[in-house]
Amino acid sequence: MQSKAADTRKEMSQGRLALIFSAPAVLIIAATILAPFLMAVFLSLHNWNLKRPGRERFIGLENYTDWLTDSDFWQPLQTTFTFAVGAVLVIVIVALLVALLLNEKFPGRGVLRALLLVPWAIPSVVNALLWKWLLNPQYGLFNAIWFELGIITEYQNVLGSMPSVMIWLVIAYSWIHIPLATLLLLSGLQTIPGDIYESAIVDGAGIFQRFAYITLPMLRSMLSIVIIFEMIFALKVFDIIFVLTAGGPADATNVLGWTIYTETFRKLDFGAGSSIAMLLGVITLGMAILFYVILDKGVEQ
Amino acid sequence: MHQHSRLRLAIIYFCATLLLIGTVGPFLWLVSSSFQYERQLLNRPPQWLPNPVVFDSYREIFEGAVLGEESGVPYQSRIFLGSFGNSFAIAGSVALIAVVVGSLAAYPLARLNFRGRSVLLFGILASRLIPALSLAIPIVLVAKQIGMSDRLITLVFINLSFVLPYVIWLLQSYFKTIPMELEDAGRIDGCSRLQVVIKIILPLARPGLTSAAILAFLVAWGEFLFALLLSETPASYTSTVVVSLFATDVDVSFVSIITAGVVSVIPPIVFALIFQRYIISGLLSGSLKG
């Protein structure tokens, strides 16, 4: 009995210790994430427009029903999905190819792996500036290269029309996101034991068979993680839109992140902005869960 | 067999060259452009290397910062260096505080047995699932009302809450790799828990702490949304905000815009290349710069 009492005392003191040690971190997170989140829910249930002060009132789910019956929600949602699917596809496919290359042993591999950190370290806003310059309709490098190669006869404004603006937005966004996906997939590849491949070669399996029957199945859980994370990131894209396209031309790249920004900080409608931000949060979480279930099921099979 | 491996190497180096161009090419072009005259940038075909090497746009940034309006350089160039300093102050503070506060929170998660341990860990990680845009709305509203808008300290706290979950996760998994016996020996010698953390755990966890600090610095350096929404005067702009002001202004010369972009990525790229081992190990233990 006595030893049990001593155990409880010890456990309590450990609990208190844990509380004291983690208090600063928990307080910071609570003050800057939990409290604002609750307030965002509150705002989303109110009529709250800074242009019309004094008229704040509770309106229940009206903001939400307004959005759900408005093409100003469905159109950006569709654009968001187009962008996110494109970005995830480009990132995952390129990252997988690069990871397969870096998984081969050759002199210079370490340098290449380190240089992957160059695009990774570039902030999204600077990346947008970089691509704005590369794609400049009068002086951009890409225009110059295509022109010199004879692919185009006059310089193009690729950011000025659909579908080229979406394609280049996806490429520009993917450029800084590919390195991390590559490093994660590479670490996944390196856990696959080499002797499996050797015995497959003995059995006469070709390079594509080895990829399809060994690499892909064994990489599946890491691939799932990368897909889910990249999906979450891409659905909330904002920075690059702000600098590169500002939602244009003619709303062609108006994703939900941009709608939330203009609704809240230009039209100053904080109620409407909060509710659409909540919808984006729910959609993101829903997609993450959906992908998790689909991909996880695949792993079991 | 010999022929086969030669072919293999040839294919590998062909792909590696493509990868090299794709990885550093766009950025090198930005650097090359920043050292040219504005009129040379408009050359067709483009001039690959600057000839002569021109430092005018770099000098503009320094002159603008020192002389102000007298220098006659664009508005953005005048405020750029100040914003660069702000970014350093914010990212540096975030890295330092995140490592201190994060180590304290990570220790009990790695070592202590207490009720609610998994709830705490899960709660901290789950906080990252909430999109920043939905948090931005109430944060801006409240910050303006209580006079916390337009202050660097507010951005430090906001960035902290973004990086802390990753830092805590990274550090607690690192702390777990430190042998328990070392800690027990310290306890027998009469160290308190805090002394154990400071004298035994932290010195041994230096690689983990370095990874965490660098990642925190880089995330804070690149943060844009809150820096944009919470700054009202140039005195509190960060470099990402000024870069966005450059990039969305059609009247500024291309060289000035490009140079601002290059200068603002010098710290992250230099850090990334110097500390690449720490960064890669940090990234692979589950910390992500989104």
Side-chain angles (χ1 to χ4, degrees):
Chain A
M1 279 315 271
Q2 209 174 3
S3 74
K4 197 184 172 193
D7 275 356
T8 334
R9 199 163 60 235
K10 198 177 165 205
E11 204 205 71
M12 269 185 64
S13 81
Q14 290 210 349
R16 193 170 303 156
L17 211 60
L19 192 69
I20 296 168
F21 273 31
S22 56
V26 170
L27 282 178
I28 291 173
I29 292 173
T32 49
I33 293 185
L34 190 62
F37 176 69
L38 295 175
M39 195 172 162
V41 174
F42 174 87
L43 282 172
S44 76
L45 300 172
H46 284 72
N47 190 355
W48 202 293
N49 191 322
L50 295 198
K51 280 183 184 162
R52 288 190 291 273
R55 292 201 200 162
E56 294 84 6
R57 62 186 174 86
F58 178 78
I59 53 167
L61 294 174
E62 209 178 294
N63 281 327
Y64 291 92
T65 52
D66 280 356
W67 279 121
L68 292 174
T69 53
D70 192 341
S71 67
D72 283 352
F73 170 74
W74 295 104
Q75 197 55 46
L77 180 68
Q78 203 185 328
T79 310
T80 309
F81 273 118
T82 309
F83 171 80
V85 170
V88 172
L89 277 177
V90 170
I91 292 167
V92 172
I93 291 171
V94 176
L96 186 58
L97 291 173
V98 176
L100 286 170
L101 173 66
L102 294 179
N103 199 36
E104 296 292 320
K105 288 193 179 63
F106 62 93
R109 173 172 79 150
V111 178
L112 265 181
R113 195 179 78 151
L115 286 177
L116 279 180
L117 292 177
V118 170
W120 172 82
I122 294 178
S124 50
V125 175
V126 183
N127 183 45
L129 177 148
L130 166 64
W131 286 87
K132 204 168 183 171
W133 174 234
L134 289 172
L135 299 172
N136 184 291
Q138 277 97 40
Y139 319 112
L141 183 65
F142 280 103
N143 265 317
I145 293 173
W146 297 324
F147 186 79
E148 296 301 319
L149 291 176
I151 297 170
I152 51 174
T153 51
E154 55 186 277
Y155 278 30
Q156 309 284 318
N157 180 12
V158 293
L159 294 178
S161 60
M162 274 296 268
S164 58
V165 62
M166 185 55 91
I167 293 169
W168 285 100
L169 188 66
V170 166
I171 292 172
Y173 172 91
S174 302
W175 188 64
I176 53 171
H177 282 81
I178 288 167
L180 178 59
T182 303
L183 291 173
L184 291 170
L185 292 177
L186 183 59
S187 79
L189 284 176
Q190 284 168 349
T191 62
I192 303 175
D195 47 2
I196 299 185
Y197 288 108
E198 280 158 30
S199 52
I201 293 171
V202 172
D203 291 345
I207 183 166
F208 294 107
Q209 283 170 312
R210 274 176 278 156
F211 177 75
Y213 295 109
I214 303 173
T215 314
L216 221 43
M218 297 201 73
L219 199 60
R220 194 143 184 178
S221 63
M222 187 54 96
L223 214 45
S224 309
I225 292 172
V226 171
I227 292 173
I228 292 171
F229 270 111
E230 293 301 343
M231 194 74 193
I232 293 175
F233 289 148
L235 285 173
K236 60 182 188 188
V237 62
F238 171 77
D239 296 6
I240 194 169
I241 305 280
F242 183 94
V243 173
L244 207 55
T245 67
D251 275 349
T253 57
N254 181 3
V255 292
L256 281 174
W258 181 253
T259 307
I260 296 168
Y261 172 76
T262 51
E263 199 68 33
T264 313
F265 298 106
R266 294 207 173 153
K267 298 184 192 165
L268 297 179
D269 194 338
F270 279 52
S274 292
S275 53
I276 195 171
M278 286 295 150
L279 288 173
L280 176 60
V282 171
I283 291 164
T284 308
L285 191 65
M287 290 300 291
I289 293 171
L290 183 73
F291 271 63
Y292 179 77
V293 170
I294 295 172
L295 295 167
D296 198 46
K297 216 175 187 175
V299 172
E300 275 167 32
Q301 280 171 358
Chain B
M1 203 62 199
H2 188 69
Q3 279 265 305
H4 176 80
S5 75
R6 263 187 152 173
L7 180 68
R8 177 182 162 272
L9 262 187
I11 295 173
I12 284 179
Y13 278 111
F14 175 74
C15 298
T17 310
L18 287 183
L19 177 62
L20 186 68
I21 295 169
T23 309
V24 293
F27 179 66
L28 289 182
W29 173 242
L30 197 72
V31 175
S32 166
S33 304
S34 74
F35 289 110
Q36 302 193 19
Y37 282 119
E38 177 84 3
R39 57 183 158 73
Q40 290 177 304
L41 288 183
L42 317 184
N43 276 355
R44 291 186 191 185
Q47 190 169 324
W48 292 102
L49 291 171
N51 179 31
V53 178
V54 184
F55 294 93
D56 283 7
S57 56
Y58 290 87
R59 205 173 56 221
E60 258 188 13
I61 287 177
F62 286 98
E63 278 180 4
V66 178
L67 300 174
E69 254 173 275
E70 275 174 53
S71 60
V73 302
Y75 167 72
Q76 291 95 328
S77 296
R78 299 202 302 266
I79 60 174
F80 180 74
L81 217 54
S83 75
F84 191 77
N86 286 344
S87 284
F88 247 110
I90 292 172
S93 315
V94 168
L96 196 70
I97 300 172
V99 167
V100 173
V101 172
S103 314
L104 278 176
Y107 176 77
L109 289 170
R111 281 289 203 262
L112 299 183
N113 225 330
F114 59 95
R115 237 172 300 146
R117 191 186 153 278
S118 51
V119 175
L120 182 63
L121 187 59
F122 177 77
I124 289 173
L125 290 177
S127 71
R128 288 299 290 121
L129 279 176
I130 302 170
L133 270 164
S134 66
L135 302 175
I137 298 168
I139 285 176
V140 169
L141 201 61
V142 171
K144 281 189 199 297
Q145 269 168 3
I146 61 174
M148 289 295 283
S149 183
D150 210 28
R151 284 177 165 198
L152 300 189
I153 182 99
T154 311
L155 288 177
V156 170
F157 272 99
I158 288 168
N159 278 299
L160 266 179
S161 70
F162 292 151
V163 300
L164 270 177
Y166 296 143
V167 167
I168 291 171
W169 175 257
L170 193 155
L171 290 180
Q172 68 101 25
S173 53
Y174 202 91
F175 289 173
K176 279 182 180 162
T177 65
I178 296 169
M180 197 68 193
E181 294 79 33
L182 294 171
E183 202 182 324
D184 290 338
R187 296 280 289 159
I188 291 165
D189 289 345
C191 288
S192 73
R193 285 281 184 187
L194 193 62
Q195 283 173 322
V196 166
V197 174
I198 293 170
K199 289 185 178 163
I200 298 170
I201 301 279
L202 292 186
L204 289 171
R206 203 173 292 159
L209 298 174
T210 310
S211 307
I214 302 285
L215 289 169
F217 183 94
L218 292 177
V219 171
W221 185 274
E223 204 282 326
F224 172 61
L225 178 66
F226 283 90
L228 172 75
L229 297 175
L230 287 170
S231 53
E232 289 156 18
T233 58
S236 66
Y237 286 164
T238 65
S239 69
T240 48
V241 173
V242 178
V243 164
S244 82
L245 290 179
F246 264 117
T248 52
D249 186 340
V250 291
D251 296 328
V252 185
S253 73
F254 289 118
V255 181
S256 308
I257 297 175
I258 289 162
T259 305
V262 171
V263 175
S264 68
V265 293
I266 290 173
I269 288 185
V270 168
F271 272 35
L273 293 179
I274 293 177
F275 296 104
Q276 45 133 329
R277 278 175 205 290
Y278 294 103
I279 291 174
I280 290 175
S281 70
L283 289 173
L284 295 185
S285 65
S287 176
L288 300 158
K289 171 181 174 274

